[in-house]
Amino acid sequence: MNKPSDKPNIAGAAVQIRKIGNSTGIILSKELLARLRLQVGDVLHITELTERGVQLSPYDPKHDKAMEIARRAFRRYADTFKALAK
């Protein structure tokens, strides 16, 4: 007997582009939102892939890059930042 999975399978899930008031959007099912740990109001960042593909992610790759630069600066100038914090 097949045991139902705790996590719904989202691979291959399809959504339709719809008119929502004066805007256009997509509707994500409650199960998909729960699986992806997303909530109403969360921001998704779009990355264009090849061949008309897109990737949606709650993480901003530009922010990650900026944070890595900041971490390097904090490590390099740790003594200066400590002195400024006094």
Side-chain angles (χ1 to χ4, degrees):
M1 180 194 253
N2 289 341
K3 184 177 180 182
S5 174
D6 292 344
K7 297 179 179 178
N9 184 6
I10 61 171
V15 295
Q16 185 177 19
I17 299 173
R18 298 180 181 226
K19 181 95 169 132
I20 303 171
N22 290 332
S23 299
T24 304
I26 59 172
I27 305 297
L28 303 177
S29 69
K30 186 167 60 170
E31 294 81 16
L32 183 59
L33 290 172
R35 173 86 165 101
L36 298 175
R37 290 181 256 141
L38 296 172
Q39 298 178 4
V40 173
D42 285 352
V43 175
L44 295 176
H45 299 274
I46 300 170
T47 304
E48 284 189 65
L49 305 175
T50 58
E51 298 298 322
R52 293 186 62 189
V54 296
Q55 177 183 25
L56 298 175
S57 173
Y59 306 104
D60 183 358
K62 291 179 185 176
H63 181 266
D64 286 343
K65 176 79 171 167
M67 289 304 295
E68 180 55 35
I69 292 168
R71 285 185 193 102
R72 282 193 304 240
F74 288 142
R75 282 192 298 268
R76 184 173 181 183
Y77 300 107
D79 295 336
T80 302
F81 284 111
K82 285 179 186 175
L84 289 171
K86 291 181 182 181

Coordinates of all heavy atoms in Angstrom, one line a residue:
M1 N 0.8 -1.2 0.0 CA 0.0 0.0 0.0 C 0.9 1.2 0.0 O 1.9 1.3 0.7 CB -0.9 0.0 1.2 CG -1.8 1.2 1.3 SD -2.6 1.3 2.9 CE -4.2 0.8 2.6
N2 N 0.6 2.2 -0.8 CA 1.3 3.5 -0.9 C 1.0 4.4 0.3 O -0.1 4.6 0.6 CB 1.0 4.2 -2.2 CG 1.6 3.5 -3.4 OD1 2.5 2.7 -3.3 ND2 1.1 3.8 -4.6
K3 N 2.1 4.8 0.9 CA 1.9 5.7 2.1 C 1.9 7.2 1.6 O 2.8 7.5 0.8 CB 3.0 5.5 3.1 CG 2.9 6.3 4.3 CD 4.1 5.9 5.3 CE 4.0 6.7 6.5 NZ 5.1 6.4 7.4
P4 N 0.9 8.0 1.9 CA 1.0 9.4 1.4 C 2.2 10.2 2.0 O 2.5 10.0 3.2 CB -0.4 10.0 1.9 CG -0.9 9.1 3.0 CD -0.2 7.8 2.8
S5 N 2.7 11.0 1.2 CA 3.9 11.8 1.6 C 3.5 13.0 2.4 O 2.4 13.5 2.2 CB 4.6 12.3 0.3 OG 5.7 13.1 0.7
D6 N 4.3 13.3 3.4 CA 4.1 14.5 4.2 C 4.2 15.8 3.4 O 3.6 16.8 3.7 CB 5.0 14.6 5.4 CG 4.8 13.5 6.4 OD1 3.7 12.8 6.4 OD2 5.7 13.2 7.2
K7 N 5.0 15.7 2.4 CA 5.3 16.9 1.6 C 4.7 16.7 0.2 O 5.0 15.7 -0.5 CB 6.8 17.2 1.4 CG 7.5 17.5 2.7 CD 8.9 17.7 2.5 CE 9.6 18.0 3.9 NZ 11.0 18.2 3.7
P8 N 3.8 17.6 -0.2 CA 3.2 17.4 -1.6 C 4.3 17.6 -2.6 O 5.2 18.4 -2.5 CB 2.2 18.6 -1.7 CG 2.5 19.5 -0.6 CD 3.3 18.8 0.5
N9 N 4.1 16.9 -3.7 CA 5.1 17.0 -4.8 C 4.8 18.3 -5.6 O 3.8 18.5 -6.2 CB 5.0 15.8 -5.7 CG 6.0 15.8 -6.8 OD1 6.9 16.6 -6.9 ND2 5.9 14.9 -7.7
I10 N 5.8 19.2 -5.6 CA 5.6 20.5 -6.4 C 6.3 20.5 -7.7 O 6.2 21.4 -8.5 CB 6.0 21.7 -5.5 CG1 7.5 21.6 -5.2 CG2 5.2 21.8 -4.3 CD1 8.1 22.9 -4.5
A11 N 7.1 19.4 -8.0 CA 7.8 19.4 -9.3 C 6.8 19.3 -10.4 O 5.9 18.5 -10.3 CB 8.7 18.2 -9.3
G12 N 6.9 20.1 -11.3 CA 5.9 20.1 -12.4 C 4.6 20.8 -12.2 O 3.7 20.8 -13.0
A13 N 4.5 21.4 -11.0 CA 3.3 22.2 -10.7 C 3.1 23.3 -11.6 O 4.1 24.0 -12.0 CB 3.3 22.7 -9.2
A14 N 1.9 23.6 -12.1 CA 1.7 24.6 -13.1 C 0.7 25.7 -12.5 O -0.1 25.3 -11.7 CB 1.1 24.1 -14.3
V15 N 1.0 26.9 -12.8 CA 0.1 28.0 -12.4 C -0.3 28.8 -13.6 O 0.4 28.7 -14.7 CB 0.8 29.0 -11.4 CG1 1.0 28.2 -10.1 CG2 2.1 29.6 -11.9
Q16 N -1.4 29.5 -13.6 CA -1.9 30.2 -14.7 C -1.8 31.7 -14.4 O -2.0 32.2 -13.3 CB -3.3 29.9 -15.0 CG -3.9 30.5 -16.2 CD -5.3 30.0 -16.5 OE1 -6.0 29.5 -15.6 NE2 -5.7 30.2 -17.7
I17 N -1.4 32.5 -15.4 CA -1.3 34.0 -15.3 C -2.8 34.4 -15.4 O -3.5 34.1 -16.3 CB -0.5 34.6 -16.4 CG1 1.0 34.1 -16.3 CG2 -0.5 36.1 -16.3 CD1 1.9 34.5 -17.4
R18 N -3.2 35.3 -14.4 CA -4.6 35.7 -14.4 C -4.7 37.2 -14.2 O -3.7 37.8 -13.7 CB -5.3 35.1 -13.2 CG -5.4 33.6 -13.4 CD -6.1 33.0 -12.2 NE -6.2 31.6 -12.3 CZ -7.3 30.8 -12.2 NH1 -8.4 31.4 -11.8 NH2 -7.2 29.5 -12.3
K19 N -5.8 37.8 -14.6 CA -6.1 39.2 -14.4 C -6.6 39.3 -12.9 O -7.5 38.6 -12.6 CB -7.1 39.6 -15.4 CG -7.5 41.1 -15.3 CD -6.7 41.9 -16.2 CE -7.3 43.3 -16.3 NZ -6.2 44.3 -16.2
I20 N -6.0 40.2 -12.2 CA -6.4 40.4 -10.8 C -6.6 41.9 -10.6 O -5.7 42.7 -10.5 CB -5.3 39.9 -9.8 CG1 -5.1 38.4 -10.0 CG2 -5.8 40.1 -8.3 CD1 -3.9 37.9 -9.2
G21 N -7.9 42.3 -10.7 CA -8.2 43.8 -10.7 C -7.6 44.4 -11.9 O -7.8 44.0 -13.0
N22 N -6.8 45.5 -11.7 CA -6.1 46.2 -12.8 C -4.7 45.6 -13.0 O -3.9 46.2 -13.8 CB -6.0 47.7 -12.5 CG -7.3 48.3 -12.6 OD1 -8.2 47.9 -13.3 ND2 -7.5 49.4 -11.8
S23 N -4.3 44.5 -12.3 CA -3.0 43.9 -12.4 C -3.1 42.5 -13.0 O -4.2 42.0 -13.3 CB -2.4 43.9 -11.0 OG -2.2 45.1 -10.5
T24 N -1.9 41.9 -13.2 CA -1.8 40.6 -13.6 C -1.0 39.8 -12.6 O 0.0 40.3 -12.1 CB -1.2 40.5 -15.0 OG1 -1.9 41.3 -15.9 CG2 -1.1 39.1 -15.6
G25 N -1.4 38.6 -12.3 CA -0.6 37.8 -11.3 C -0.8 36.4 -11.5 O -1.5 35.9 -12.4
I26 N -0.1 35.6 -10.6 CA -0.3 34.2 -10.6 C -0.8 33.8 -9.2 O -0.5 34.5 -8.2 CB 1.0 33.4 -10.9 CG1 2.1 33.8 -9.9 CG2 1.5 33.7 -12.3 CD1 3.4 33.0 -10.0
I27 N -1.6 32.7 -9.1 CA -2.1 32.3 -7.9 C -1.3 31.0 -7.5 O -1.2 30.1 -8.3 CB -3.6 31.9 -8.0 CG1 -4.4 33.1 -8.6 CG2 -4.2 31.4 -6.7 CD1 -4.4 34.3 -7.7
L28 N -0.8 31.0 -6.3 CA -0.1 29.8 -5.7 C -1.0 29.1 -4.7 O -1.6 29.8 -3.9 CB 1.2 30.2 -5.1 CG 2.2 31.0 -5.9 CD1 3.4 31.4 -5.1 CD2 2.6 30.2 -7.1
S29 N -1.1 27.8 -4.8 CA -2.0 27.1 -3.9 C -1.5 27.2 -2.5 O -0.3 27.4 -2.2 CB -2.0 25.6 -4.3 OG -0.8 25.0 -4.1
K30 N -2.3 27.0 -1.5 CA -2.0 27.0 -0.1 C -0.9 25.9 0.2 O 0.0 26.2 0.9 CB -3.2 26.7 0.7 CG -3.0 26.9 2.2 CD -4.3 26.9 3.0 CE -5.2 25.7 2.8 NZ -6.3 25.7 3.8
E31 N -1.0 24.8 -0.4 CA -0.1 23.7 -0.2 C 1.3 24.1 -0.8 O 2.3 23.8 -0.1 CB -0.5 22.4 -0.9 CG -1.8 21.8 -0.4 CD -3.1 22.5 -0.8 OE1 -3.0 23.2 -1.9 OE2 -4.1 22.2 -0.2
L32 N 1.4 24.8 -1.9 CA 2.6 25.2 -2.5 C 3.3 26.3 -1.6 O 4.5 26.2 -1.3 CB 2.4 25.7 -3.9 CG 3.7 26.2 -4.6 CD1 4.7 25.0 -4.8 CD2 3.3 26.7 -6.0
L33 N 2.5 27.2 -1.1 CA 3.0 28.2 -0.2 C 3.6 27.6 1.1 O 4.7 28.0 1.5 CB 1.9 29.2 0.2 CG 1.5 30.2 -0.9 CD1 0.2 31.0 -0.5 CD2 2.6 31.1 -1.4
A34 N 2.9 26.6 1.6 CA 3.3 26.0 2.8 C 4.6 25.2 2.6 O 5.6 25.3 3.4 CB 2.3 25.0 3.4
R35 N 4.7 24.5 1.4 CA 5.9 23.7 1.1 C 7.1 24.6 0.9 O 8.2 24.3 1.3 CB 5.6 22.9 -0.2 CG 6.8 22.2 -0.7 CD 6.9 20.9 -0.1 NE 7.8 20.0 -0.9 CZ 9.1 19.8 -0.5 NH1 9.6 20.4 0.6 NH2 9.9 19.1 -1.3
L36 N 6.9 25.8 0.3 CA 8.0 26.7 0.1 C 8.2 27.7 1.2 O 9.1 28.5 1.2 CB 7.7 27.5 -1.2 CG 7.6 26.7 -2.5 CD1 7.2 27.5 -3.7 CD2 8.9 25.9 -2.8
R37 N 7.4 27.5 2.3 CA 7.5 28.4 3.4 C 7.4 29.9 3.1 O 8.1 30.7 3.5 CB 8.8 28.2 4.2 CG 8.7 26.8 4.9 CD 9.9 26.5 5.7 NE 10.7 25.6 5.0 CZ 12.0 25.6 4.9 NH1 12.7 26.5 5.5 NH2 12.7 24.7 4.1
L38 N 6.4 30.2 2.2 CA 6.1 31.6 1.8 C 4.8 32.0 2.4 O 3.9 31.2 2.7 CB 6.0 31.6 0.3 CG 7.2 31.3 -0.5 CD1 6.9 31.3 -2.0 CD2 8.3 32.4 -0.2
Q39 N 4.7 33.3 2.6 CA 3.4 33.9 3.2 C 3.0 35.1 2.3 O 3.8 35.6 1.6 CB 3.7 34.4 4.6 CG 4.1 33.3 5.6 CD 4.3 33.9 7.0 OE1 4.2 35.1 7.2 NE2 4.8 33.0 7.9
V40 N 1.8 35.5 2.5 CA 1.3 36.7 1.8 C 2.2 37.9 2.2 O 2.5 38.1 3.4 CB -0.2 37.0 2.1 CG1 -0.7 38.3 1.6 CG2 -1.1 35.8 1.6
G41 N 2.6 38.6 1.2 CA 3.5 39.8 1.5 C 5.0 39.5 1.3 O 5.7 40.4 1.2
D42 N 5.4 38.2 1.2 CA 6.8 37.9 1.0 C 7.1 38.4 -0.4 O 6.3 38.5 -1.3 CB 7.0 36.4 1.0 CG 7.0 35.9 2.4 OD1 7.0 36.7 3.4 OD2 7.1 34.6 2.6
V43 N 8.4 38.8 -0.6 CA 8.9 39.3 -1.9 C 9.7 38.2 -2.5 O 10.5 37.5 -1.9 CB 9.8 40.5 -1.7 CG1 10.4 41.0 -3.0 CG2 9.0 41.7 -1.0
L44 N 9.4 37.9 -3.8 CA 10.2 37.0 -4.6 C 11.0 37.7 -5.6 O 10.5 38.6 -6.3 CB 9.2 36.0 -5.3 CG 8.4 35.1 -4.4 CD1 7.5 34.2 -5.2 CD2 9.3 34.2 -3.5
H45 N 12.2 37.3 -5.8 CA 13.1 37.9 -6.7 C 13.2 37.0 -8.0 O 13.2 35.8 -7.9 CB 14.5 38.1 -6.2 CG 14.5 39.0 -5.0 ND1 14.6 40.4 -5.1 CD2 14.3 38.8 -3.7 CE1 14.5 40.9 -3.9 NE2 14.4 40.0 -3.0
I46 N 13.1 37.7 -9.2 CA 13.1 36.9 -10.4 C 14.5 37.0 -11.1 O 15.1 38.1 -11.2 CB 12.1 37.6 -11.4 CG1 10.7 37.5 -10.7 CG2 12.1 36.9 -12.7 CD1 9.6 38.3 -11.5
T47 N 15.0 35.8 -11.5 CA 16.2 35.7 -12.2 C 15.8 35.1 -13.5 O 15.2 34.0 -13.6 CB 17.2 34.8 -11.5 OG1 17.4 35.3 -10.2 CG2 18.5 34.7 -12.2
E48 N 16.2 35.7 -14.6 CA 15.9 35.2 -16.0 C 16.9 34.1 -16.3 O 18.1 34.3 -16.1 CB 16.0 36.3 -17.0 CG 14.8 37.2 -17.0 CD 14.8 38.1 -18.2 OE1 14.7 37.6 -19.4 OE2 14.9 39.3 -18.0
L49 N 16.4 33.0 -16.8 CA 17.3 31.9 -17.2 C 17.2 31.8 -18.7 O 16.5 32.6 -19.4 CB 16.8 30.6 -16.6 CG 16.6 30.5 -15.1 CD1 16.0 29.2 -14.6 CD2 18.0 30.8 -14.4
T50 N 17.9 30.9 -19.3 CA 17.9 30.8 -20.8 C 16.6 30.2 -21.2 O 15.9 29.6 -20.5 CB 19.1 29.9 -21.3 OG1 18.9 28.6 -20.6 CG2 20.4 30.5 -20.9
E51 N 16.3 30.4 -22.5 CA 15.1 29.8 -23.2 C 13.8 30.1 -22.4 O 13.1 29.2 -22.1 CB 15.3 28.3 -23.3 CG 16.5 27.8 -24.2 CD 16.3 28.3 -25.6 OE1 15.2 28.3 -26.1 OE2 17.4 28.7 -26.2
R52 N 13.5 31.3 -22.2 CA 12.3 31.8 -21.6 C 12.0 31.3 -20.2 O 10.9 31.3 -19.7 CB 11.1 31.4 -22.5 CG 11.1 32.1 -23.8 CD 9.8 31.8 -24.6 NE 8.6 32.3 -23.8 CZ 7.4 32.0 -24.1 NH1 7.1 31.2 -25.2 NH2 6.4 32.4 -23.4
G53 N 13.0 30.9 -19.5 CA 12.9 30.4 -18.2 C 13.1 31.5 -17.1 O 13.8 32.4 -17.4
V54 N 12.5 31.3 -16.0 CA 12.7 32.2 -14.9 C 12.8 31.4 -13.6 O 12.3 30.3 -13.5 CB 11.6 33.3 -14.7 CG1 11.5 34.2 -15.9 CG2 10.2 32.6 -14.4
Q55 N 13.5 32.0 -12.6 CA 13.6 31.4 -11.3 C 13.1 32.4 -10.3 O 13.5 33.6 -10.3 CB 15.1 31.1 -11.0 CG 15.3 30.5 -9.6 CD 16.8 30.2 -9.4 OE1 17.7 30.9 -10.0 NE2 17.1 29.3 -8.5
L56 N 12.2 32.0 -9.4 CA 11.7 32.8 -8.4 C 12.3 32.4 -7.1 O 12.4 31.2 -6.8 CB 10.2 32.7 -8.3 CG 9.3 33.1 -9.5 CD1 7.9 32.7 -9.2 CD2 9.5 34.5 -9.7
S57 N 12.8 33.3 -6.3 CA 13.5 33.0 -5.1 C 13.2 34.1 -4.1 O 13.2 35.3 -4.4 CB 15.0 32.9 -5.3 OG 15.7 32.7 -4.1
P58 N 13.0 33.7 -2.8 CA 12.9 34.7 -1.7 C 14.2 35.4 -1.4 O 14.2 36.4 -0.7 CB 12.3 34.0 -0.6 CG 12.8 32.6 -0.8 CD 12.9 32.4 -2.3
Y59 N 15.3 34.9 -1.9 CA 16.6 35.5 -1.7 C 17.1 36.4 -2.8 O 17.0 36.0 -4.0 CB 17.6 34.4 -1.4 CG 17.1 33.5 -0.3 CD1 16.6 32.2 -0.6 CD2 17.2 33.9 1.0 CE1 16.2 31.4 0.4 CE2 16.7 33.1 2.0 CZ 16.2 31.8 1.7 OH 15.7 31.0 2.7
D60 N 17.5 37.6 -2.5 CA 18.0 38.5 -3.5 C 19.5 38.3 -3.8 O 20.3 38.5 -2.9 CB 17.8 39.9 -3.0 CG 18.1 41.0 -4.0 OD1 18.6 40.6 -5.1 OD2 17.9 42.2 -3.7
P61 N 19.9 37.8 -4.9 CA 21.3 37.6 -5.2 C 22.1 38.8 -5.1 O 23.3 38.8 -4.7 CB 21.3 37.0 -6.6 CG 19.9 37.2 -7.2 CD 19.0 37.5 -6.1
K62 N 21.6 40.0 -5.4 CA 22.3 41.2 -5.3 C 22.6 41.5 -3.8 O 23.7 42.0 -3.5 CB 21.6 42.4 -5.9 CG 21.5 42.3 -7.5 CD 20.7 43.4 -8.0 CE 20.5 43.3 -9.5 NZ 19.6 44.3 -10.1
H63 N 21.6 41.3 -3.0 CA 21.8 41.5 -1.5 C 22.9 40.6 -1.0 O 23.7 41.0 -0.2 CB 20.5 41.3 -0.8 CG 20.6 41.5 0.7 ND1 20.8 40.5 1.5 CD2 20.5 42.6 1.4 CE1 20.9 41.0 2.8 NE2 20.7 42.3 2.7
D64 N 22.9 39.3 -1.4 CA 23.9 38.3 -1.0 C 25.3 38.8 -1.4 O 26.2 38.7 -0.6 CB 23.6 36.9 -1.6 CG 22.4 36.3 -0.9 OD1 22.0 36.7 0.2 OD2 21.9 35.3 -1.5
K65 N 25.4 39.3 -2.6 CA 26.7 39.8 -3.1 C 27.2 41.0 -2.2 O 28.3 41.1 -1.8 CB 26.6 40.2 -4.5 CG 27.8 40.8 -5.1 CD 28.8 39.7 -5.5 CE 30.0 40.4 -6.3 NZ 31.1 39.5 -6.4
A66 N 26.2 41.9 -2.0 CA 26.6 43.1 -1.1 C 27.0 42.7 0.3 O 27.9 43.3 0.8 CB 25.4 44.1 -1.1
M67 N 26.3 41.7 0.8 CA 26.6 41.3 2.2 C 28.0 40.6 2.2 O 28.7 40.8 3.2 CB 25.5 40.3 2.7 CG 24.2 41.0 3.0 SD 24.4 42.4 4.2 CE 24.9 41.5 5.7
E68 N 28.4 39.9 1.2 CA 29.7 39.3 1.1 C 30.8 40.3 1.1 O 31.8 40.2 1.8 CB 29.8 38.3 0.0 CG 31.1 37.6 -0.2 CD 31.6 36.9 1.1 OE1 30.7 36.3 1.8 OE2 32.8 36.9 1.4
I69 N 30.6 41.4 0.3 CA 31.5 42.5 0.3 C 31.6 43.1 1.6 O 32.7 43.4 2.1 CB 31.1 43.5 -0.8 CG1 31.2 42.9 -2.2 CG2 31.9 44.8 -0.7 CD1 30.6 43.7 -3.3
A70 N 30.5 43.4 2.3 CA 30.5 44.0 3.6 C 31.2 43.1 4.6 O 32.0 43.6 5.5 CB 29.1 44.2 4.1
R71 N 31.0 41.8 4.6 CA 31.7 40.9 5.5 C 33.2 40.9 5.3 O 34.0 40.9 6.3 CB 31.2 39.4 5.3 CG 29.8 39.2 5.9 CD 29.4 37.7 5.8 NE 28.0 37.6 6.0 CZ 27.1 37.5 5.1 NH1 27.4 37.3 3.8 NH2 25.8 37.4 5.4
R72 N 33.7 41.0 4.1 CA 35.1 41.1 3.8 C 35.7 42.4 4.4 O 36.7 42.4 5.0 CB 35.4 41.0 2.3 CG 35.3 39.6 1.8 CD 35.9 39.5 0.4 NE 35.2 40.4 -0.5 CZ 34.6 40.1 -1.6 NH1 34.6 38.8 -2.0 NH2 34.0 41.0 -2.4
A73 N 34.9 43.5 4.2 CA 35.4 44.8 4.7 C 35.4 44.7 6.3 O 36.4 45.2 6.9 CB 34.4 45.9 4.3
F74 N 34.4 44.1 6.9 CA 34.4 44.0 8.4 C 35.6 43.2 8.9 O 36.2 43.5 9.9 CB 33.1 43.5 8.9 CG 31.9 44.4 8.8 CD1 30.7 43.9 8.4 CD2 32.1 45.8 9.0 CE1 29.6 44.8 8.3 CE2 31.0 46.6 8.8 CZ 29.8 46.1 8.5
R75 N 35.9 42.1 8.2 CA 37.1 41.3 8.6 C 38.4 42.1 8.4 O 39.3 42.1 9.3 CB 37.1 40.0 7.8 CG 36.1 38.9 8.3 CD 36.4 37.6 7.7 NE 36.3 37.6 6.2 CZ 35.2 37.3 5.5 NH1 34.1 37.0 6.2 NH2 35.2 37.3 4.2
R76 N 38.5 42.7 7.3 CA 39.7 43.4 6.9 C 40.0 44.6 7.9 O 41.1 44.9 8.3 CB 39.7 43.9 5.5 CG 41.0 44.5 5.0 CD 40.9 44.8 3.5 NE 42.2 45.4 3.1 CZ 42.4 45.8 1.9 NH1 41.5 45.7 1.0 NH2 43.5 46.3 1.6
Y77 N 38.9 45.3 8.2 CA 39.1 46.6 9.0 C 38.4 46.4 10.4 O 37.8 47.3 10.9 CB 38.4 47.7 8.2 CG 39.1 48.0 6.9 CD1 38.4 47.7 5.7 CD2 40.4 48.5 6.8 CE1 39.0 47.9 4.5 CE2 41.0 48.8 5.6 CZ 40.3 48.5 4.4 OH 40.9 48.7 3.2
A78 N 38.5 45.2 10.9 CA 37.9 44.9 12.2 C 38.3 45.9 13.3 O 37.5 46.4 14.1 CB 38.2 43.5 12.7
D79 N 39.6 46.2 13.4 CA 40.1 47.1 14.4 C 39.6 48.5 14.2 O 39.2 49.2 15.2 CB 41.7 47.2 14.4 CG 42.3 45.8 14.8 OD1 41.6 45.1 15.5 OD2 43.4 45.6 14.3
T80 N 39.5 49.0 13.0 CA 38.9 50.3 12.7 C 37.4 50.4 13.2 O 37.0 51.3 13.8 CB 39.0 50.6 11.2 OG1 40.4 50.5 10.8 CG2 38.5 52.0 10.9
F81 N 36.7 49.3 12.9 CA 35.2 49.3 13.2 C 35.1 49.3 14.8 O 34.2 49.9 15.3 CB 34.5 48.2 12.6 CG 34.2 48.4 11.1 CD1 34.9 47.7 10.1 CD2 33.3 49.4 10.7 CE1 34.6 48.0 8.8 CE2 33.0 49.7 9.4 CZ 33.7 48.9 8.4
K82 N 36.0 48.5 15.4 CA 35.9 48.5 16.9 C 36.2 49.8 17.5 O 35.6 50.3 18.4 CB 36.9 47.5 17.4 CG 36.5 46.0 17.2 CD 37.5 45.1 17.8 CE 37.1 43.6 17.4 NZ 38.2 42.7 17.8
A83 N 37.2 50.5 16.9 CA 37.5 51.9 17.4 C 36.4 52.9 17.2 O 36.1 53.7 18.0 CB 38.8 52.4 16.8
L84 N 35.7 52.8 16.0 CA 34.6 53.6 15.7 C 33.4 53.4 16.6 O 32.6 54.3 16.9 CB 34.2 53.5 14.3 CG 35.2 54.1 13.3 CD1 34.8 53.7 11.8 CD2 35.3 55.6 13.4
A85 N 33.3 52.1 17.1 CA 32.1 51.8 17.9 C 32.2 52.3 19.3 O 31.2 52.4 20.0 CB 32.0 50.2 17.9
K86 N 33.4 52.7 19.7 CA 33.6 53.2 21.1 C 33.0 54.6 21.3 O 32.9 55.4 20.5 CB 35.0 53.2 21.5 CG 35.6 51.8 21.6 CD 37.0 51.8 22.0 CE 37.6 50.4 22.1 NZ 38.9 50.4 22.5

